[in-house]
Amino acid sequence: GAGVSQSPRYKVAKRGQDVALRCDPISGHVSLFWYQQALGQGPEFLTYFQNEAQLDKSGLPSDRFFAERPEGSVSTLKIQRTQQEDSAVYLCASSPTASGGWTYEQYFGPGTRLTVT
Amino acid sequence: AQSVSQHNHHVILSEAASLELGCNYSYGGTVNLFWYVQYPGQHLQLLLKYFSGDPLVKGIKGFEAEFIKSKFSFNLRKPSVQWSDTAEYFCAVNTGGFKTIFGAGTRLFVKA
C-alpha cells in the first residue's frame, strides 16, 4: 500500500521567505509526527498530532514554526521568515495507534530537504 | 534531559565480519527501544524494537539487539554482514510520551 509521502522533496528558500511543507500520512493513521534532521544528526522531534489535535509541540524551535492537521489526515509544517539555521531535512512519520511513539513503530516519509540561502 | 548516544559515527567492515553498534541512553525509568535503518536513497524504516520481555530481540535481515537495563544499553549486532547492509543506523528511545529521541546515527559501510 501507499506509504507516507511528503512534498516538495526539495525546497530552496531565500532567507526571510515563508515555506510550507506537506505530509500525507498512511491512510487511517491516527498519530503524526514531524522531525527536523540536521546534517550529520538524527531526527529531532518537533511536534505530534493525534488526529487533528496537536498534543505536543515542545520541539518546535521558535514561534516561526507552525504545524497543523485540520482534518486529521494531511499535515502542513509552516516556517515563517526562514533563517539559515532552518536548513535541514524535515521528516514526517505516522503511526496507526493513538499512543504516540510509545507502543508502536513509526512509518517515515522520504523527507523534504530545505535549504535556506 | 534524556539523550541517546551512539558511540561510532562511521564503521567500515568487510563482508562476513561481525557487527556491533553501541547505543546508550540516559533515563532511569521504563523505556521502549528501537533501531531504525536508512538504506541509501530510502526512507527510515524499523529494524527491530524492544518493549518488554526477552531482552534479546530479533529483527529483520538477521539483526538482533540486547537490552541491558543495568548498563542503559541497547546494542545492535549481526554475526556476518553483507554488502547490502551498507546504511545508516539510528538507535531511538521512547520514555512513555509522544516524543521519541534518536541518536546521531552510525554510518556503516561494508566492503564487498
Side-chain angles (χ1 to χ4, degrees):
Chain A
V4 178
S5 61
Q6 293 186 244
S7 60
R9 292 292 312 279
Y10 302 91
K11 177 71 179 176
V12 179
K14 288 191 185 339
R15 190 160 54 97
Q17 281 185 331
D18 297 349
V19 298
L21 313 180
R22 178 186 168 106
C23 172
D24 280 85
I26 294 172
S27 178
H29 277 200
V30 170
S31 292
L32 186 144
F33 309 81
W34 282 100
Y35 292 87
Q36 181 189 59
Q37 187 175 16
L39 194 62
Q41 300 298 315
E44 277 199 41
F45 173 85
L46 292 177
T47 188
Y48 167 71
F49 289 87
Q50 186 181 103
N51 296 308
E52 69 280 2
Q54 189 175 20
L55 298 186
D56 189 335
K57 51 182 182 179
S58 62
L60 295 176
S62 78
D63 60 7
R64 296 186 295 105
F65 286 71
F66 171 76
E68 60 183 5
R69 193 186 185 198
E71 296 177 359
S73 55
V74 170
S75 177
T76 304
L77 176 68
K78 296 179 180 176
I79 309 173
Q80 296 177 322
R81 304 181 305 280
T82 52
Q83 304 294 316
Q84 282 195 314
E85 62 262 28
D86 300 334
S87 294
V89 175
Y90 290 86
L91 296 169
C92 176
S94 70
S95 172
T97 66
S99 54
W102 172 238
T103 59
Y104 212 89
E105 70 181 273
Q106 296 170 54
Y107 296 85
F108 283 84
T112 295
R113 183 177 296 277
L114 173 65
T115 303
V116 181
T117 60
Chain B
Q2 295 133 23
S3 64
V4 177
S5 297
Q6 292 185 240
H7 313 300
N8 310 98
H9 294 295
H10 294 90
V11 173
I12 302 173
L13 295 173
S14 297
E15 274 196 312
S18 65
L19 170 72
E20 180 159 2
L21 301 182
C23 173
N24 285 88
Y25 62 92
S26 62
Y27 184 72
T30 303
V31 293
N32 284 352
L33 299 158
F34 307 83
W35 276 96
Y36 283 85
V37 60
Q38 187 166 25
Y39 297 103
Q42 295 189 26
H43 307 182
L44 267 171
Q45 59 185 280
L46 184 73
L47 200 54
L48 49 78
K49 61 191 176 191
Y50 171 80
F51 289 166
S52 63
D54 188 344
L56 185 62
V57 293
K58 296 192 184 298
I60 59 172
K61 303 187 181 186
F63 284 90
E64 65 179 31
E66 185 175 12
F67 171 49
I68 303 179
K69 190 174 181 180
S70 60
K71 294 185 178 180
F72 302 93
S73 71
F74 189 55
N75 292 353
L76 180 71
R77 300 195 291 249
K78 186 171 184 179
S80 175
V81 294
Q82 301 173 307
W83 177 80
S84 58
D85 293 325
T86 293
E88 190 160 17
Y89 294 82
F90 293 91
C91 180
V93 172
N94 187 294
T95 60
F98 304 119
K99 181 186 297 192
T100 298
I101 300 167
F102 285 77
T106 297
R107 286 184 183 268
L108 171 66
F109 179 72
V110 180
K111 298 184 289 186

mmCIF file of all heavy atoms in Angstrom, chain A residues 61-91:
data_model
loop_
_atom_site.group_PDB
_atom_site.id
_atom_site.type_symbol
_atom_site.label_atom_id
_atom_site.label_comp_id
_atom_site.label_asym_id
_atom_site.label_seq_id
_atom_site.Cartn_x
_atom_site.Cartn_y
_atom_site.Cartn_z
ATOM 1 N N PRO A 61 11.244 24.828 17.411
ATOM 2 C CA PRO A 61 12.361 25.634 17.911
ATOM 3 C C PRO A 61 12.026 27.105 18.146
ATOM 4 O O PRO A 61 12.727 27.752 18.915
ATOM 5 C CB PRO A 61 13.428 25.477 16.824
ATOM 6 C CG PRO A 61 12.717 25.010 15.613
ATOM 7 C CD PRO A 61 11.489 24.316 16.039
ATOM 8 N N SER A 62 11.017 27.614 17.491
ATOM 9 C CA SER A 62 10.663 29.022 17.709
ATOM 10 C C SER A 62 9.233 29.235 17.243
ATOM 11 O O SER A 62 8.610 28.345 16.656
ATOM 12 C CB SER A 62 11.615 29.936 16.923
ATOM 13 O OG SER A 62 11.264 29.970 15.556
ATOM 14 N N ASP A 63 8.712 30.425 17.513
ATOM 15 C CA ASP A 63 7.337 30.719 17.089
ATOM 16 C C ASP A 63 7.235 30.967 15.592
ATOM 17 O O ASP A 63 6.159 31.251 15.077
ATOM 18 C CB ASP A 63 6.754 31.879 17.895
ATOM 19 C CG ASP A 63 7.558 33.157 17.745
ATOM 20 O OD1 ASP A 63 8.497 33.181 16.902
ATOM 21 O OD2 ASP A 63 7.281 34.123 18.455
ATOM 22 N N ARG A 64 8.357 30.818 14.887
ATOM 23 C CA ARG A 64 8.281 30.898 13.426
ATOM 24 C C ARG A 64 7.781 29.577 12.827
ATOM 25 O O ARG A 64 7.425 29.521 11.659
ATOM 26 C CB ARG A 64 9.657 31.230 12.841
ATOM 27 C CG ARG A 64 10.200 32.603 13.241
ATOM 28 C CD ARG A 64 11.488 32.926 12.503
ATOM 29 N NE ARG A 64 12.579 32.005 12.870
ATOM 30 C CZ ARG A 64 13.016 31.029 12.103
ATOM 31 N NH1 ARG A 64 12.483 30.813 10.903
ATOM 32 N NH2 ARG A 64 14.020 30.262 12.517
ATOM 33 N N PHE A 65 7.807 28.544 13.643
ATOM 34 C CA PHE A 65 7.390 27.208 13.194
ATOM 35 C C PHE A 65 5.959 26.959 13.651
ATOM 36 O O PHE A 65 5.619 27.145 14.821
ATOM 37 C CB PHE A 65 8.299 26.132 13.792
ATOM 38 C CG PHE A 65 9.674 26.066 13.180
ATOM 39 C CD1 PHE A 65 10.601 27.072 13.422
ATOM 40 C CD2 PHE A 65 10.026 25.010 12.372
ATOM 41 C CE1 PHE A 65 11.865 27.018 12.856
ATOM 42 C CE2 PHE A 65 11.294 24.933 11.807
ATOM 43 C CZ PHE A 65 12.211 25.945 12.051
ATOM 44 N N PHE A 66 5.158 26.475 12.701
ATOM 45 C CA PHE A 66 3.751 26.239 12.983
ATOM 46 C C PHE A 66 3.312 24.993 12.218
ATOM 47 O O PHE A 66 3.666 24.818 11.057
ATOM 48 C CB PHE A 66 2.950 27.465 12.540
ATOM 49 C CG PHE A 66 1.465 27.288 12.577
ATOM 50 C CD1 PHE A 66 0.787 27.314 13.787
ATOM 51 C CD2 PHE A 66 0.739 27.073 11.416
ATOM 52 C CE1 PHE A 66 -0.584 27.139 13.829
ATOM 53 C CE2 PHE A 66 -0.631 26.900 11.451
ATOM 54 C CZ PHE A 66 -1.296 26.932 12.663
ATOM 55 N N ALA A 67 2.558 24.118 12.860
ATOM 56 C CA ALA A 67 2.087 22.909 12.180
ATOM 57 C C ALA A 67 0.597 22.771 12.387
ATOM 58 O O ALA A 67 0.059 23.190 13.406
ATOM 59 C CB ALA A 67 2.816 21.677 12.704
ATOM 60 N N GLU A 68 -0.052 22.165 11.423
ATOM 61 C CA GLU A 68 -1.484 21.929 11.531
ATOM 62 C C GLU A 68 -1.856 20.639 10.835
ATOM 63 O O GLU A 68 -1.161 20.171 9.935
ATOM 64 C CB GLU A 68 -2.277 23.100 10.941
ATOM 65 C CG GLU A 68 -2.007 23.371 9.477
ATOM 66 C CD GLU A 68 -2.756 24.592 8.954
ATOM 67 O OE1 GLU A 68 -3.412 25.293 9.743
ATOM 68 O OE2 GLU A 68 -2.679 24.821 7.747
ATOM 69 N N ARG A 69 -3.002 20.116 11.254
ATOM 70 C CA ARG A 69 -3.552 18.884 10.665
ATOM 71 C C ARG A 69 -5.077 18.996 10.815
ATOM 72 O O ARG A 69 -5.686 18.261 11.578
ATOM 73 C CB ARG A 69 -3.019 17.660 11.419
ATOM 74 C CG ARG A 69 -3.269 16.330 10.712
ATOM 75 C CD ARG A 69 -2.836 15.160 11.579
ATOM 76 N NE ARG A 69 -2.972 13.907 10.867
ATOM 77 C CZ ARG A 69 -3.002 12.715 11.457
ATOM 78 N NH1 ARG A 69 -2.886 12.612 12.789
ATOM 79 N NH2 ARG A 69 -3.126 11.622 10.736
ATOM 80 N N PRO A 70 -5.671 19.906 10.089
ATOM 81 C CA PRO A 70 -7.048 20.337 10.356
ATOM 82 C C PRO A 70 -8.110 19.250 10.249
ATOM 83 O O PRO A 70 -9.107 19.310 10.957
ATOM 84 C CB PRO A 70 -7.284 21.443 9.327
ATOM 85 C CG PRO A 70 -6.231 21.255 8.290
ATOM 86 C CD PRO A 70 -5.054 20.632 8.974
ATOM 87 N N GLU A 71 -7.911 18.257 9.385
ATOM 88 C CA GLU A 71 -8.936 17.224 9.230
ATOM 89 C C GLU A 71 -8.433 15.869 9.689
ATOM 90 O O GLU A 71 -9.056 14.846 9.391
ATOM 91 C CB GLU A 71 -9.403 17.185 7.770
ATOM 92 C CG GLU A 71 -10.091 18.484 7.347
ATOM 93 C CD GLU A 71 -10.498 18.497 5.889
ATOM 94 O OE1 GLU A 71 -10.236 17.500 5.178
ATOM 95 O OE2 GLU A 71 -11.071 19.504 5.448
ATOM 96 N N GLY A 72 -7.338 15.884 10.389
ATOM 97 C CA GLY A 72 -6.834 14.631 10.939
ATOM 98 C C GLY A 72 -6.162 13.731 9.933
ATOM 99 O O GLY A 72 -5.926 12.556 10.226
ATOM 100 N N SER A 73 -5.845 14.259 8.748
ATOM 101 C CA SER A 73 -5.107 13.431 7.786
ATOM 102 C C SER A 73 -3.855 14.189 7.349
ATOM 103 O O SER A 73 -2.837 14.126 8.036
ATOM 104 C CB SER A 73 -5.982 13.030 6.611
ATOM 105 O OG SER A 73 -6.558 14.168 5.990
ATOM 106 N N VAL A 74 -3.939 14.944 6.262
ATOM 107 C CA VAL A 74 -2.784 15.694 5.758
ATOM 108 C C VAL A 74 -2.332 16.728 6.794
ATOM 109 O O VAL A 74 -3.151 17.331 7.497
ATOM 110 C CB VAL A 74 -3.157 16.402 4.440
ATOM 111 C CG1 VAL A 74 -2.089 17.376 4.009
ATOM 112 C CG2 VAL A 74 -3.440 15.375 3.351
ATOM 113 N N SER A 75 -1.018 16.913 6.856
ATOM 114 C CA SER A 75 -0.467 17.908 7.780
ATOM 115 C C SER A 75 0.463 18.840 7.009
ATOM 116 O O SER A 75 1.085 18.440 6.011
ATOM 117 C CB SER A 75 0.305 17.213 8.895
ATOM 118 O OG SER A 75 0.903 18.162 9.762
ATOM 119 N N THR A 76 0.542 20.074 7.494
ATOM 120 C CA THR A 76 1.436 21.057 6.910
ATOM 121 C C THR A 76 2.304 21.657 8.003
ATOM 122 O O THR A 76 1.801 22.018 9.078
ATOM 123 C CB THR A 76 0.643 22.193 6.227
ATOM 124 O OG1 THR A 76 -0.238 21.630 5.256
ATOM 125 C CG2 THR A 76 1.585 23.172 5.540
ATOM 126 N N LEU A 77 3.580 21.717 7.734
ATOM 127 C CA LEU A 77 4.529 22.396 8.610
ATOM 128 C C LEU A 77 4.912 23.696 7.917
ATOM 129 O O LEU A 77 5.372 23.678 6.775
ATOM 130 C CB LEU A 77 5.777 21.531 8.851
ATOM 131 C CG LEU A 77 6.900 22.164 9.674
ATOM 132 C CD1 LEU A 77 6.450 22.363 11.117
ATOM 133 C CD2 LEU A 77 8.165 21.298 9.632
ATOM 134 N N LYS A 78 4.686 24.786 8.601
ATOM 135 C CA LYS A 78 4.977 26.096 8.012
ATOM 136 C C LYS A 78 6.108 26.754 8.781
ATOM 137 O O LYS A 78 6.126 26.724 10.019
ATOM 138 C CB LYS A 78 3.732 26.984 8.054
ATOM 139 C CG LYS A 78 2.581 26.446 7.217
ATOM 140 C CD LYS A 78 1.341 27.330 7.301
ATOM 141 C CE LYS A 78 0.218 26.749 6.442
ATOM 142 N NZ LYS A 78 -1.041 27.519 6.554
ATOM 143 N N ILE A 79 7.031 27.307 8.061
ATOM 144 C CA ILE A 79 8.129 28.041 8.673
ATOM 145 C C ILE A 79 8.080 29.462 8.119
ATOM 146 O O ILE A 79 8.155 29.671 6.907
ATOM 147 C CB ILE A 79 9.499 27.400 8.372
ATOM 148 C CG1 ILE A 79 9.481 25.905 8.708
ATOM 149 C CG2 ILE A 79 10.594 28.102 9.165
ATOM 150 C CD1 ILE A 79 10.740 25.161 8.275
ATOM 151 N N GLN A 80 7.939 30.402 9.015
ATOM 152 C CA GLN A 80 7.877 31.804 8.591
ATOM 153 C C GLN A 80 9.259 32.440 8.699
ATOM 154 O O GLN A 80 10.066 32.058 9.561
ATOM 155 C CB GLN A 80 6.896 32.564 9.493
ATOM 156 C CG GLN A 80 5.461 32.064 9.374
ATOM 157 C CD GLN A 80 4.526 32.796 10.328
ATOM 158 O OE1 GLN A 80 4.891 33.103 11.453
ATOM 159 N NE2 GLN A 80 3.310 33.060 9.874
ATOM 160 N N ARG A 81 9.499 33.384 7.808
ATOM 161 C CA ARG A 81 10.753 34.170 7.859
ATOM 162 C C ARG A 81 11.949 33.232 8.042
ATOM 163 O O ARG A 81 12.701 33.324 9.029
ATOM 164 C CB ARG A 81 10.685 35.192 8.992
ATOM 165 C CG ARG A 81 9.484 36.131 8.890
ATOM 166 C CD ARG A 81 9.448 37.151 10.022
ATOM 167 N NE ARG A 81 9.491 36.542 11.352
ATOM 168 C CZ ARG A 81 8.462 36.002 11.978
ATOM 169 N NH1 ARG A 81 7.279 35.983 11.390
ATOM 170 N NH2 ARG A 81 8.613 35.507 13.186
ATOM 171 N N THR A 82 12.136 32.341 7.075
ATOM 172 C CA THR A 82 13.174 31.319 7.215
ATOM 173 C C THR A 82 14.545 31.931 7.467
ATOM 174 O O THR A 82 14.884 33.014 6.962
ATOM 175 C CB THR A 82 13.246 30.434 5.958
ATOM 176 O OG1 THR A 82 13.359 31.282 4.804
ATOM 177 C CG2 THR A 82 12.015 29.554 5.837
ATOM 178 N N GLN A 83 15.330 31.206 8.267
ATOM 179 C CA GLN A 83 16.702 31.568 8.590
ATOM 180 C C GLN A 83 17.615 30.440 8.110
ATOM 181 O O GLN A 83 17.176 29.301 7.910
ATOM 182 C CB GLN A 83 16.857 31.743 10.100
ATOM 183 C CG GLN A 83 15.904 32.758 10.709
ATOM 184 C CD GLN A 83 16.195 34.164 10.226
ATOM 185 O OE1 GLN A 83 17.350 34.579 10.168
ATOM 186 N NE2 GLN A 83 15.161 34.903 9.854
ATOM 187 N N GLN A 84 18.906 30.750 7.989
ATOM 188 C CA GLN A 84 19.849 29.737 7.505
ATOM 189 C C GLN A 84 19.876 28.516 8.418
ATOM 190 O O GLN A 84 20.034 27.384 7.945
ATOM 191 C CB GLN A 84 21.244 30.327 7.349
ATOM 192 C CG GLN A 84 21.378 31.161 6.075
ATOM 193 C CD GLN A 84 22.809 31.454 5.724
ATOM 194 O OE1 GLN A 84 23.594 31.831 6.582
ATOM 195 N NE2 GLN A 84 23.145 31.279 4.455
ATOM 196 N N GLU A 85 19.699 28.729 9.708
ATOM 197 C CA GLU A 85 19.742 27.594 10.631
ATOM 198 C C GLU A 85 18.543 26.662 10.482
ATOM 199 O O GLU A 85 18.518 25.584 11.080
ATOM 200 C CB GLU A 85 19.831 28.063 12.090
ATOM 201 C CG GLU A 85 18.670 28.877 12.579
ATOM 202 C CD GLU A 85 18.933 30.374 12.524
ATOM 203 O OE1 GLU A 85 19.733 30.814 11.655
ATOM 204 O OE2 GLU A 85 18.338 31.094 13.335
ATOM 205 N N ASP A 86 17.552 27.065 9.683
ATOM 206 C CA ASP A 86 16.409 26.192 9.425
ATOM 207 C C ASP A 86 16.722 25.153 8.356
ATOM 208 O O ASP A 86 15.920 24.232 8.124
ATOM 209 C CB ASP A 86 15.188 26.998 8.968
ATOM 210 C CG ASP A 86 14.738 28.029 9.990
ATOM 211 O OD1 ASP A 86 15.010 27.827 11.191
ATOM 212 O OD2 ASP A 86 14.134 29.042 9.578
ATOM 213 N N SER A 87 17.858 25.290 7.683
ATOM 214 C CA SER A 87 18.247 24.323 6.646
ATOM 215 C C SER A 87 18.403 22.945 7.276
ATOM 216 O O SER A 87 19.173 22.766 8.220
ATOM 217 C CB SER A 87 19.563 24.737 5.987
ATOM 218 O OG SER A 87 19.413 25.943 5.272
ATOM 219 N N ALA A 88 17.658 21.997 6.755
ATOM 220 C CA ALA A 88 17.633 20.643 7.323
ATOM 221 C C ALA A 88 16.710 19.793 6.464
ATOM 222 O O ALA A 88 16.052 20.293 5.541
ATOM 223 C CB ALA A 88 17.097 20.664 8.765
ATOM 224 N N VAL A 89 16.654 18.499 6.790
ATOM 225 C CA VAL A 89 15.627 17.628 6.220
ATOM 226 C C VAL A 89 14.492 17.550 7.218
ATOM 227 O O VAL A 89 14.721 17.311 8.417
ATOM 228 C CB VAL A 89 16.188 16.226 5.933
ATOM 229 C CG1 VAL A 89 15.060 15.301 5.463
ATOM 230 C CG2 VAL A 89 17.291 16.294 4.889
ATOM 231 N N TYR A 90 13.290 17.787 6.759
ATOM 232 C CA TYR A 90 12.111 17.707 7.619
ATOM 233 C C TYR A 90 11.380 16.405 7.299
ATOM 234 O O TYR A 90 10.938 16.175 6.183
ATOM 235 C CB TYR A 90 11.221 18.933 7.410
ATOM 236 C CG TYR A 90 11.887 20.157 7.972
ATOM 237 C CD1 TYR A 90 12.798 20.889 7.213
ATOM 238 C CD2 TYR A 90 11.666 20.553 9.292
ATOM 239 C CE1 TYR A 90 13.459 21.988 7.737
ATOM 240 C CE2 TYR A 90 12.326 21.651 9.825
ATOM 241 C CZ TYR A 90 13.221 22.359 9.041
ATOM 242 O OH TYR A 90 13.882 23.435 9.576
ATOM 243 N N LEU A 91 11.296 15.566 8.327
ATOM 244 C CA LEU A 91 10.700 14.248 8.186
ATOM 245 C C LEU A 91 9.324 14.221 8.813
ATOM 246 O O LEU A 91 9.097 14.804 9.871
ATOM 247 C CB LEU A 91 11.565 13.194 8.884
ATOM 248 C CG LEU A 91 12.965 12.965 8.325
ATOM 249 C CD1 LEU A 91 13.781 12.101 9.274
ATOM 250 C CD2 LEU A 91 12.887 12.303 6.968
#
